Amino acid sequence: MTFQIKSYQPQHTCVMVKNCAKATSDWMVKKLVGVMRDHPNMTSKGVEAELRKYGVKPTKIQIFRAKNKALVEIEGTHAESYSKLPKYAELFRAQKLGFLEDCRPFVGFDGCFLKGPFGGVLMTAVALDANNSVFLIVFAGLNLAYEEIFPDAIGRHCYGHIYSNFKSQFPSILHRSFFWKVAKSYDVVGYNEPMASIKDINREAWKYLDKIPKSFWCRHVFSPQFKCDHVTNNIIESFNNWVSDLRGKLILTLVDGLRRKFMKNLHKRYQKGCTLTANITPRIAEKLTEISQASRKCEMYMASEDTFEIGDLDRSYIVVLSKKFCDCGVFQISRIPCKHAALGIMYRREKLEHYYEAWFTKDMYLKAYSAMIHPIPDVKRWLAMPDLLPKTVLPPPLRRAPGRPRVNQRREADKGASSSQPKRSSTLKCRNCGAAGHNKRAYKGPPVQKRTANRTPTELMTNRRDRPGRGMASTSLLGAVLRNYVCRGFQSLTNTLILRDHAEGNVPIVHSNQGSNPSPTDHNGGVNV
């Protein structure tokens, strides 16, 4: 097919038409591939701005299709990425040596949902290094209980999740305040007092908490061998937030993105450790400074060279420095001097650094990050592995749930909205049931009959009283005057119309000696016909 141009006008004065039928999603992909290789996280608004450079105004569905097709051409499909996992696993080296060398025997397990079309859960296990920072041990796509892998492990439950279940049955501010005192107490006395208060308020709430084993969530029964007083799983929650940008990627892109994050973080922290001048890590040094300042508010009574009685507000504690013991329980569980022990240490003109465990030193910090995660070559440079088993991995069955896929996290009511989910309003109240937290569209109770249709005009006017309207004052005195004026005017107009109709011979007139009031039934007034 050939075309012949007979005339050409270089300058146009007509209005440009941006809705071009030839600008399909496939055409848009060719323009977007080069840009999205450099900016793989480009948003829909960025895609629209890029296409407007070519004089095209795409629709939302065109942007959605073009963006997805461009990502498929760059990264491949989700199903294809599963087949490359065996070779990638052979090239990847886990960083378990750092955990065995430095980290305390305290591991946090949790999982986060993947946002791809096949779903799934990313299981991770993290620990704490000498600086109380998150140290990744391993991640996998499995759903196994730690009791099956480590039958002798002592488990702890996050008391934030325990409280979420507790408050659903016992929503009270008093329950909340006493619950946190129970969970955070380091000694038996601090545990028994708030538990007794909960028992006095609600015996059922006390039974609910008493059924939970204390070793799962109460600090005062934690074993000192772990050197950790954590009662929440915030370390794994922070890790999930750190990798949130990868949860919607292809499975191979997700795994490789995690490896690169860990590789960079491992070397960066090793460089940081090499620059430390003191033998103690920065966070522990900062914590010791806060403890020494808090100890100044306590009173000390010396019993011997290493035994003291420390007064703190309305309670007293016994401190034995040679045994690293204090009645409050903080010294034994965290293996860091508490404020009571710190007062005795400073009285002896000694340094707090001499009484903490070796787990918090610079040497242990460097041992944890001395290993290296080796880089992996590009997929096109992978060598053939004929003896590798399994040779391929099939994706899980695709089960698409009804409705639009949810991307944002379902947050608890007391946590508030995140920065990515701004709160639309302060409080929602249902017009049907009057409860807070939802509106009448989300009402799930029995049908509510509307009363507006059955109300009389008098009831409607009564409900409308004392409400400010357009051009009307809300004061009751002025409203009563206006209503009286309107009623008199309406009555006068009615009498005028009746007299006019009588003059024309249309209706009779009934005379009454009671003014504008209606005549009683037994009145004997005259009637003119």
Side-chain angles (χ1 to χ4, degrees):
M1 181 181 296
T2 57
F3 297 91
Q4 181 180 1
I5 300 176
K6 294 184 177 181
S7 61
Y8 173 70
Q9 183 66 26
Q11 296 182 355
H12 296 271
T13 58
C14 57
V15 179
M16 179 182 294
V17 179
K18 296 184 179 180
N19 296 327
C20 180
K22 299 295 183 180
T24 61
S25 59
D26 294 334
W27 177 86
M28 297 177 187
V29 170
K30 298 178 181 178
K31 307 298 181 183
L32 292 174
V33 168
V35 181
M36 294 191 67
R37 286 187 188 274
D38 301 331
H39 306 281
N41 297 324
M42 179 181 289
T43 61
S44 298
K45 292 184 178 180
V47 172
E48 182 180 3
E50 184 66 24
L51 294 175
R52 283 182 177 272
K53 296 179 181 179
Y54 301 95
V56 178
K57 184 181 180 182
T59 61
K60 291 184 178 180
I61 189 63
Q62 285 180 326
I63 295 175
F64 174 77
R65 291 173 180 172
K67 182 180 177 181
N68 288 345
K69 288 181 180 180
L71 290 176
V72 168
E73 186 171 342
I74 296 171
E75 299 177 351
T77 62
H78 283 267
E80 293 175 354
S81 63
Y82 279 91
S83 61
K84 301 176 183 178
L85 286 178
K87 289 186 177 180
Y88 188 88
E90 186 68 18
L91 297 172
F92 186 72
R93 296 290 181 269
Q95 51 170 351
K96 61 183 180 181
L97 294 178
F99 170 71
L100 298 176
E101 289 289 340
D102 165 73
C103 298
R104 287 157 280 171
F106 177 80
V107 181
F109 292 96
D110 198 7
C112 58
F113 291 97
L114 302 180
K115 302 177 183 179
F118 294 100
V121 179
L122 176 66
M123 303 295 297
T124 52
V126 299
L128 293 174
D129 60 13
N131 196 35
N132 272 351
S133 300
V134 178
F135 184 90
L136 177 76
I137 302 174
V138 66
F139 65 91
L142 303 176
N143 191 8
L144 299 175
Y146 70 89
E147 296 92 344
E148 300 177 3
I149 305 175
F150 307 104
D152 299 332
I154 301 175
R156 295 185 190 177
H157 294 178
C158 177
Y159 72 167
H161 295 85
I162 294 177
Y163 175 72
S164 297
N165 299 330
F166 175 75
K167 73 175 181 180
S168 62
Q169 300 185 29
F170 309 101
S172 173
I173 299 178
L174 290 176
H175 288 153
R176 177 180 181 179
S177 61
F178 289 127
F179 176 85
W180 296 125
K181 292 180 181 179
V182 169
K184 294 182 178 181
S185 176
Y186 285 90
D187 59 343
V188 181
V189 177
Y191 168 83
N192 291 333
E193 289 179 354
M195 282 293 287
S197 300
I198 294 177
K199 188 176 181 179
D200 295 338
I201 298 173
N202 191 333
R203 190 175 183 84
E204 296 299 325
W206 174 81
K207 289 181 179 180
Y208 180 91
L209 295 177
D210 192 58
K211 290 180 180 179
I212 305 175
K214 297 181 180 62
S215 60
F216 285 173
W217 64 294
C218 297
R219 273 178 172 166
H220 73 280
V221 296
F222 286 173
S223 175
Q225 64 178 347
F226 300 127
K227 291 88 177 175
C228 182
D229 59 352
H230 280 237
V231 289
T232 63
N233 205 17
N234 290 341
I235 55 174
I236 194 68
E237 294 292 344
S238 61
F239 173 81
N240 293 340
N241 184 55
W242 185 51
V243 299
S244 60
D245 57 330
L246 298 172
R247 290 164 57 184
K249 301 293 185 180
L250 278 68
I251 187 64
L252 187 64
T253 307
L254 165 67
V255 175
D256 194 55
L258 292 175
R259 179 191 62 83
R260 290 180 177 178
K261 278 180 174 285
F262 305 151
M263 181 174 62
K264 179 181 178 180
N265 188 57
L266 199 70
H267 182 64
K268 182 178 179 181
R269 290 189 176 179
Y270 181 78
Q271 288 181 324
K272 178 182 177 181
C274 294
T275 59
L276 296 179
T277 56
N279 194 35
I280 186 173
T281 53
R283 290 187 179 179
I284 304 301
E286 182 180 353
K287 188 173 184 179
L288 291 178
T289 303
E290 296 176 356
I291 292 173
S292 63
Q293 293 296 325
S295 66
R296 300 176 58 190
K297 300 179 181 179
C298 302
E299 296 181 1
M300 186 188 67
Y301 305 95
M302 189 172 181
S304 66
E305 291 296 329
D306 64 342
T307 304
F308 308 90
E309 181 180 343
I310 307 298
D312 186 8
L313 297 180
D314 57 342
R315 294 184 60 181
S316 60
Y317 303 90
I318 298 176
V319 176
V320 182
L321 295 180
S322 60
K323 297 181 180 180
K324 296 184 178 180
F325 172 84
C326 180
D327 277 345
C328 68
V330 178
F331 204 173
Q332 299 89 278
I333 295 174
S334 64
R335 310 310 294 176
I336 296 177
C338 60
K339 61 180 179 179
H340 311 120
L343 184 60
I345 295 171
M346 291 187 294
Y347 175 80
R348 298 178 57 177
R349 299 295 189 269
E350 295 180 347
K351 294 184 178 180
L352 300 181
E353 290 82 354
H354 296 165
Y355 286 87
Y356 64 82
E357 291 287 332
W359 296 99
F360 307 108
T361 59
K362 171 185 175 181
D363 297 336
M364 301 299 287
Y365 185 83
L366 291 176
K367 287 182 180 179
Y369 296 102
S370 59
M372 180 183 67
I373 298 180
H374 297 273
I376 294 179
D378 188 72
V379 178
K380 297 180 180 179
R381 298 181 180 273
W382 288 1
L383 301 177
M385 301 178 185
D387 300 332
L388 182 63
L389 293 176
K391 294 184 177 298
T392 184
V393 175
L394 298 177
L398 180 60
R399 297 178 182 177
R400 182 178 177 86
R404 183 176 180 178
R406 189 179 182 92
V407 178
N408 295 329
Q409 179 186 4
R410 294 180 176 90
R411 302 179 65 86
E412 297 290 339
D414 60 340
K415 290 185 177 180
S418 62
S419 57
S420 60
Q421 295 175 264
K423 202 170 183 178
R424 297 179 60 184
S425 62
S426 58
T427 304
L428 291 177
K429 187 175 181 181
C430 180
R431 294 184 180 180
N432 294 337
C433 64
H438 65 276
N439 53 15
K440 66 177 183 179
R441 291 186 177 183
Y443 173 70
K444 297 182 180 179
V448 178
Q449 184 178 5
K450 296 183 179 180
R451 296 181 56 192
T452 305
N454 299 330
R455 292 179 182 176
T456 62
T458 305
E459 293 178 348
L460 293 176
M461 289 297 297
T462 303
N463 293 336
R464 186 61 185 170
R465 289 176 183 175
D466 300 334
R467 295 183 182 179
R470 181 180 299 176
M472 296 180 61
S474 61
T475 57
S476 58
L477 179 61
L478 182 58
V481 173
L482 290 176
R483 285 193 296 272
N484 190 18
Y485 177 79
V486 172
C487 292
R488 288 185 177 181
F490 180 76
Q491 185 67 31
S492 177
L493 177 62
T494 304
N495 294 337
T496 303
L497 293 176
I498 292 175
L499 291 174
R500 190 183 64 181
D501 291 341
H502 173 71
E504 297 176 357
N506 295 330
V507 296
I509 294 180
V510 180
H511 293 277
S512 174
N513 58 357
Q514 298 180 2
S516 61
N517 295 330
S519 301
T521 55
D522 57 349
H523 181 64
N524 296 324
V527 178
N528 294 332
V529 181

